[in-house]
Structures are given as C-alpha cells and as structure tokens.
Amino acid sequence: MKLSIIGTGYLGATHAAAMSSLGFEVIGIDVDPAKIELLRAGKVPFFEPGLEELLLQEVNSGRLKFSTNFADAKNCEIHFICVGTPQQKGSLAADLKYVESAVDAIAPHAKAGSLVVGKSTVPVGTAARLAQQLVELGSPAELAWNPEFLREGFAVEDTLRPNRLVVGVTSDRAENLLKLAYKPLLDNGVPWIRADLATAELVKVAANSFLATKISFINAMAEICETTGGDVTVLAKAIGYDPRIGSRFLQAGIGFGGGCLPKDIRAFMARSEELGAQQSLEFLREIDSINLRARQRMIDLVRLDLDEDLKGRKIAVLGAAFKPDSDDVRDSPALDISDQISKAGGAVTVFDPKANANASLRFPHLTYAASIEACMSGAEIVLHLTEWKEFRAIDPIKAKSLVARANIIDGRNALDREAWERAGWHFRALGRATR
Ligand code: UDX
C-alpha cells in the first residue's frame, strides 16, 4: 500500500517515518520547500527524541520520500492529513485554513477508491463538511477521521505503540483499508475503535479536555494548599493511590502549555457556543483561568522574594520549552512568565537544553545563556520552570557558589527540596508552604 502524509510538522513527520518503518511506501508532502529539503536529507526540523534516527533509516531504505508536489501522491491508497489547526488570532476558535487547503490540494490527485484521512485536531462537524468539500470538488476519494494522540517527547513511541486507534468512518470499506494500514499495530494488540465521524473528532478534544482538567484540578488544590499551609505534592501522591483517580497528570506547577491543550480546550468552547451547547463546556473556561492563574502565582512568589521590586534584578530562568524533551515553545508557561517579569523590569536570563533558539525567535528581548552555570551566575533568584532532567541533576551546593542570593522557586515541583534546603537555599514552590 502507498500512503501520503500531508503536512510534515510534529505529527506528520513522525507519522510518515513511523508508517514507512511498518513497510509502506510513503510520500510526505508539505508546502514549505525548506522543510522538505531538510527531511529529504534525513534531518528533522525540530527536536523529538528518536525521530531523526528513524527518519534517516527510512529515507535511506528508499521507502520514505518527500515532495512539495501533491501530484506525487496520485497513486496512494490513503492520504493522511496532518496539518496544524492553530488558534485563530483574536478568537478562541481553531483556524481551519490549512486543513481546508490540504483537502483542496489533494482532491484532484486522489484516485478512485482512495481515502482522505484527517488526523489533525478539528472542531466537531469539520469532517462531515470536508467530505462534502470532496464531493463538490468532484473527487472520487472517501473521507475518514483518525485522531492522533501523540505526546511531544514520546512521538515515535506513541505512534508505533499507541494505547488505542480510533477511526471515524462512513463505510466498512474505509474501516478495512485503515485496518490494513495499521495491521502491524493491531497484530500487537492495540485496541481498535470504530466510530462515526463526529465521535472520532470529539474523542480527541474530550481526551485533551480531560487531561487539562486534571492538571487544573491539582493546580486549584495547590492554591488551596497555599492558603492553608498544606503541601500539594503530598496531597497528589495520596489521592493518586486511588486507582479511580490515578497518579498521572497530577503534577502541580505553572500549568499546561504547548500547541495542543490550551488551543484545543478553547476551540472546543468556541465550537460549543456555535452549537448552542456552551453550558456543557462552561467548566473549561475555569480550567483555562486556573491554568493562567498558576503563571501569575509564580510571578507573585518572585515579587515576594524580591520585596516587590523587579527593576534590574537578576533572575535566572531554567527552562523555556513548554515541557521537557521538546524544543517546542508554543504557549510555553516558562516563557510567558519570563516575558512578564522582563516587561516588569526584571533582568531575565533563560537557559533551556534544547529550546533556546526557538525561544529567542519569539522573545528576542530576553537574554539567553549557553549553560546552566552561565544562566545562574550572579542571579538573585532562580526559577525552575521546565522539568528537564539536567535541572534535577544540578548540585545545589555547587550552584550556591554561582548565585548572588540562594533563592530558588520550583515552578514544577520536581526538585529535591530537602537537598536544596540542606545546601542553604531559600526554597519556595507552588502549592507548598515555605519553611
Ligand atoms: C498533549 C496530549 O497529552 C496528547 O495526547 C495530545 O495528542 C497532544 O496534547 P503534549 O502537548 O505533547 O500532548 O503534552 P502533555 O504531555 O500532555 O503536557 C501538556 C502540558 O501540561 C505541558 O506544558 C506539561 O508541562 C503540563 N503538565 C502535564 C502539567 O503541568 N502537569 C502534569 O501533571 C502533566
């Protein structure tokens, strides 16, 4: 079977390399010639553990090719649409222009009997509209939806060993074709769920809404702990032992960011309003504001430690990516906090093991250090904002000799508090009383 992957960002590049590694002939298509050039050379334009090795292996095998020309996909049985659906400027809704133009571009080349399969996250009802778009364009291809649940940092693992495969289809033929494409995964026991188009679209936003809710729940508990002298890390551990609750995604801190969770819950709210069902998702507004409040609470702690005076104060920020093992800085809480502190007059120096370059493109006014040591040097306060393992491995005794004042705030509740306090640091964390 021949497959095309339209859009070669995090999702598409990973899907292309993964499907090729299953033995299919794959053509990755993107409108960005620079990106295609890199991918052809076996280079990944972003940091994702394990992906470059897999990509290079597949390009060298001859199964995986890349092109900017949609006509090169004409013999494919399945066309996977993996383009972005970012938040629209000035609105909560998702911007669907890339999905729509991908369908427009592939329609004249998709052969009879082929499938156009959306993997992008879209508002419910989009797939049905795109199916109609195919008909109006005179395309013989059939539309299906197959949401993707991959996490950045684990993209290859999540694509080759997903915890479920969900397909929204309108015919047995479409389901069978997709089963063939995913046969190696199904043979490994991955659960298969057949749904209608609307349910398949909803599964993705429901899953991300649930995850966002879990994080904001524990961050709301962190707020309560701060006013009552409790410790949210102990609370999370204790409730997490109940298997109905589970311990994952209960890490309190500066909250969620990235290219998915924030925009997906906002797009879901916007869509529910269009549908007249806003009441059902009203709680997501609160999830969003708890999440943004966590960033503000972090800034409040910095102000407290610096006696409300940020002007010219040397502040070291450890972390720029929205999460570790990624160089993605989209809606990164770490950078939002750094930016706000800098705008209030703070002299902010940021270090991230992988995301300095991306961060400096978006926030050129911040200073970027080339190492942990350079970042901390002379600082009056250190903020731990992305929980890279490199930061957990910092020796607090050595680090103390670098800074002007041994103040640290753990915005991710991931550092060994006892070790830092033993070394003489004044240690604060979100959701934990200061000793
Ligand atoms: C998410 C979903 O997990 C994935 O299934 C979907 O396909 C895309 O969106 P991703 O954006 O890669 O994946 O990141 P995720 O691991 O979910 O983390 C999102 C954010 O939540 C990060 O900023 C992370 O730091 C934060 N987070 C996560 C917390 O603050 N606390 C937690 O306990 C977990």
Side-chain angles (χ1 to χ4, degrees), residues 254-271:
I254 56 172
F256 58 81
C260 294
L261 259 46
K263 69 116 175 137
D264 286 354
I265 62 168
R266 291 172 194 155
F268 201 12
M269 283 187 268
R271 184 67 183 133

Side-chain angles (χ1 to χ4, degrees), residues 158-215:
D158 285 353
T159 306
L160 287 172
R161 278 168 285 279
N163 40 35
R164 77 290 210 192
L165 283 162
V166 178
V167 294
V169 291
T170 50
S171 74
D172 290 343
R173 210 187 61 80
E175 181 184 15
N176 291 336
L177 205 52
L178 279 163
K179 270 191 172 160
L180 267 183
Y182 288 122
K183 186 171 182 308
L185 309 191
L186 296 178
D187 289 347
N188 285 337
V190 173
W192 178 263
I193 295 171
R194 174 179 173 158
D196 53 69
L197 294 177
T199 306
E201 294 168 311
L202 282 169
V203 168
K204 175 61 189 274
V205 283
N208 276 357
S209 298
F210 193 87
L211 294 171
T213 301
K214 225 176 158 186
I215 300 168

Side-chain angles (χ1 to χ4, degrees), residues 10-11 48 121 147-155 158 163-164 204 207-208 211-212 214-216 218-219 247-262 264 291 295 321-324 326 328 330-334 385-387 411-412:
Y10 285 96
L11 167 57
E48 180 61 44
T121 304
E148 180 57 57
F149 304 98
L150 67 80
R151 297 161 298 165
E152 290 179 25
F154 299 90
D158 285 353
N163 40 35
R164 77 290 210 192
K204 175 61 189 274
N208 276 357
L211 294 171
K214 225 176 158 186
I215 300 168
S216 278
I218 202 64
N219 283 334
S247 59
R248 304 191 55 193
F249 269 63
L250 286 182
Q251 188 80 22
I254 56 172
F256 58 81
C260 294
L261 259 46
D264 286 354
N291 190 52
R295 303 176 186 188
F322 84 104
K323 70 183 228 183
S326 170
D328 193 347
R330 285 176 294 172
D331 202 350
S332 165
L385 301 187
T386 311
E387 67 277 36
R412 290 295 185 181

Side-chain angles (χ1 to χ4, degrees), residues 86-95 262-271 273 285 288:
Q87 188 174 338
Q88 269 177 39
K89 286 213 164 59
S91 153
L92 292 185
D95 187 344
K263 69 116 175 137
D264 286 354
I265 62 168
R266 291 172 194 155
F268 201 12
M269 283 187 268
R271 184 67 183 133
E273 261 175 46
R285 213 169 292 282
D288 202 6

Side-chain angles (χ1 to χ4, degrees), residues 393-410:
I394 293 174
D395 176 349
I397 300 173
K398 284 193 192 137
K400 198 165 172 235
S401 66
L402 299 170
V403 295
R405 285 171 63 181
N407 277 329
I408 185 155
I409 309 179
D410 186 2

